[in-house]
Amino acid sequence: MTSRPTRPTPRPPEGTPPAAELARQARAVLADAVRVARWAAESLPAAPRSAAPRTADARAATPRSERAARTPVGQAGALLAQTAERAVQALDLTPDEVRAGWDRARLAGLVELHGDTARPGWRLRAWDRDDSAVLRGWVALFDAWSIVHPASEEVAAAAVAEVVEAVPQVLSLLQLSAGPVTVPALLDLLEQRVAELHEERCEVPYGPQQPAAPAPLPELLDWALHGLAAVGALTLGPGLATLTPLGNWAVWVKLEQICVAAQSPAGNIEQSADDMLRGCAGLTPGPARAEYRAWLAARPVGSAVAELLSVARGEDALLRGLAFEALRVVGGPAEAAVRAAADEISLRPYAVLWLAEYEGADPDDAHDALTRAEATWLWVDTAAAVADHGETPLLVRHLESAVQGTVPALLEEVQAVGHPRTVQVLVALAAAHPDPALAKAVRRAAFQVHTGGV
């Protein structure tokens, strides 16, 4: 495997506070959301994770605050009335503050909806120790500003949608100005952008038409600015708007994402999932994730997930593993498809690990969710990837990662698990291992699998 040159890591604009300070500001914006989410996680009944069964000993060893506490929710994930009342009393918040905090917790990924219940998201567990998790959570809230601060129901939905689509240009002007911008200047830009959107759609009326009522753009601009202020992206003064340090940083992040989507770091954005993953095989994890993000940004999420899973069903074990790494970048929108994939023998170990991490397990501990047979299947599959694409010493070292602890136990369980690449993996391992006695035992096992003997 070879490393490829990658784009240098972009730097935020001069004067942007360090990540630790931005995270401190983000924590302040989401303080009530964290309080409500933690109260729900610690005060409501806990349920076992659904990714895979775990032993009673493993569950008992897991702190209660880290178990998958389930919170019953109502329509659209709202807190039930009795739950909200308990939170008001416990947290000394008003009912509106509790409901707003819960809504922000959902939007920021602090809690995740699963049917008619919600449970703590992985960001909640990482909140105090992982600044990057905090910033990603705040960016998710920033992206949802129009949900945090809904528009008046009296305004046509189409006009609201146009303003939401035009807001990135408004934010870009605020960032380029590097200081306060007058509301009339922002309104002028908004009017221009909305007019451009109308031209881009080239809407041609057929037959007699009633003239459409003009969109109330001054009122909609005021709504958008207050919505962005509500999530901590800007501050408002008399006739002026100014980006906060968080808002300035977020606009820069979004512009960087657009640049990445326009031209992916390694040039695979227009490739199929199969070719994109092959192109990422030689990249280190960071650049590979950037490539996955660029490829995903250019596609509808549903079709991208389906394409990645289709590749994972193929014969190349390396691409199978990389496909699930790309699905980790997708996150929540891929959950339903990954859960369905857990019913397929060849994908189940990867799906179980993905689900365990998605539900909050530390990646180093996620393997605890696998059964012994699933772990053995995954060991053979990974060995097949190493045999096909790696170097001989890697295959020998891979032997040490088996959960069985001894080679005879490993060989016995490998033969029983029924992986289609078992013979090829054992033959490659026998050829690579420097110990003649061990190599002979491995070759014997390969022969027994090949002939169906015992």
Side-chain angles (χ1 to χ4, degrees):
M1 300 183 186
T2 57
S3 296
R4 302 182 183 180
T6 59
R7 250 179 30 150
T9 302
R11 295 182 177 276
E14 185 176 354
T16 301
E21 171 58 22
L22 290 171
R24 186 195 66 77
Q25 296 177 19
R27 287 186 176 98
V29 172
L30 283 160
D32 282 353
V34 171
R35 289 185 66 200
V36 174
R38 283 182 171 158
W39 173 84
E42 294 170 359
S43 303
L44 298 175
R49 291 188 179 120
S50 59
R54 299 188 69 181
T55 65
D57 289 343
R59 286 195 297 271
T62 304
R64 188 182 191 283
S65 62
E66 295 185 8
R67 297 182 201 171
R70 307 274 182 128
T71 306
V73 293
Q75 188 175 7
L79 277 180
L80 298 178
Q82 58 269 35
T83 306
E85 289 174 6
R86 290 174 56 192
V88 166
Q89 296 173 1
L91 300 174
D92 194 25
L93 297 173
T94 68
D96 286 344
E97 288 171 337
V98 166
R99 295 189 183 280
W102 178 258
D103 289 342
R104 290 178 177 229
R106 289 191 295 110
L107 294 170
L110 297 168
V111 294
E112 299 166 352
L113 297 182
H114 297 268
D116 58 357
T117 63
R119 59 175 172 252
W122 69 269
R123 283 188 184 131
L124 185 62
R125 292 180 59 196
W127 197 253
D128 291 331
R129 57 181 169 79
D130 188 340
D131 288 347
S132 64
V134 172
L135 291 174
R136 286 195 297 271
W138 181 83
V139 168
L141 182 73
F142 168 73
D143 287 339
W145 65 266
S146 60
I147 301 174
V148 172
H149 185 68
S152 169
E153 294 182 358
E154 297 178 0
V155 181
V160 173
E162 287 176 345
V163 170
V164 172
E165 190 173 352
V167 158
Q169 280 69 32
V170 173
L171 290 169
S172 294
L173 175 60
L174 284 162
Q175 188 196 45
L176 289 171
S177 299
V181 178
T182 65
V183 171
L186 295 176
L187 179 60
D188 183 59
L189 176 61
L190 179 64
E191 291 171 341
Q192 293 178 39
R193 182 56 185 146
V194 169
E196 290 172 358
L197 291 174
H198 290 168
E199 291 179 7
E200 290 169 6
R201 294 191 179 99
C202 298
E203 297 167 348
V204 179
Y206 292 90
Q209 300 286 323
Q210 290 290 336
L217 290 182
E219 291 83 353
L220 285 172
L221 174 62
D222 183 69
W223 160 70
L225 293 178
H226 279 84
L228 291 163
V231 298
L234 53 80
T235 57
L236 297 174
L240 297 172
T242 310
L243 283 177
T244 64
L246 268 177
N248 187 64
W249 170 80
V251 174
W252 170 78
V253 167
K254 295 300 175 182
L255 291 173
E256 278 299 311
Q257 289 176 348
I258 292 171
C259 292
V260 168
Q263 182 177 8
S264 61
N268 292 303
I269 190 171
E270 297 180 359
Q271 303 297 323
S272 66
D274 186 291
D275 291 337
M276 182 273 292
L277 293 172
R278 291 184 191 280
C280 292
L283 300 177
T284 54
R289 282 191 294 271
E291 197 72 3
Y292 302 148
R293 282 193 291 269
W295 186 86
L296 291 163
R299 288 160 178 77
V301 66
S303 61
V305 169
E307 194 174 348
L308 289 168
L309 285 173
S310 178
V311 174
R313 294 185 180 97
E315 297 182 358
D316 194 322
L318 175 64
L319 297 189
R320 187 160 27 256
L322 293 177
F324 275 87
E325 287 300 318
L327 288 168
R328 284 178 172 83
V329 174
V330 178
E335 182 190 5
V338 173
R339 285 195 184 279
D343 293 332
E344 302 177 40
I345 292 176
S346 64
L347 302 186
R348 178 164 177 76
Y350 295 94
V352 167
L353 291 177
W354 190 100
L355 291 166
E357 292 179 27
Y358 175 71
E359 292 181 353
D362 189 291
D364 292 336
D365 299 330
H367 280 73
D368 293 343
L370 296 173
T371 65
R372 184 74 163 242
E374 290 163 357
T376 302
W377 180 285
L378 183 60
W379 184 90
V380 178
D381 212 48
T382 306
V386 175
D388 291 343
H389 300 279
E391 300 175 355
T392 298
L394 292 177
L395 188 59
V396 176
R397 287 203 295 273
H398 182 58
L399 184 63
E400 301 171 359
S401 69
V403 298
Q404 284 75 11
T406 67
V407 171
L410 169 65
L411 295 178
E412 180 180 354
E413 294 186 32
V414 162
Q415 292 177 71
V417 82
H419 193 290
R421 293 292 304 278
T422 298
V423 172
Q424 295 94 322
V425 164
L426 293 178
V427 168
L429 182 58
H433 207 284
D435 184 336
L438 189 148
K440 182 178 179 180
V442 173
R443 277 194 299 271
R444 184 185 304 114
F447 179 77
Q448 290 173 342
V449 174
H450 177 64
T451 60
V454 180

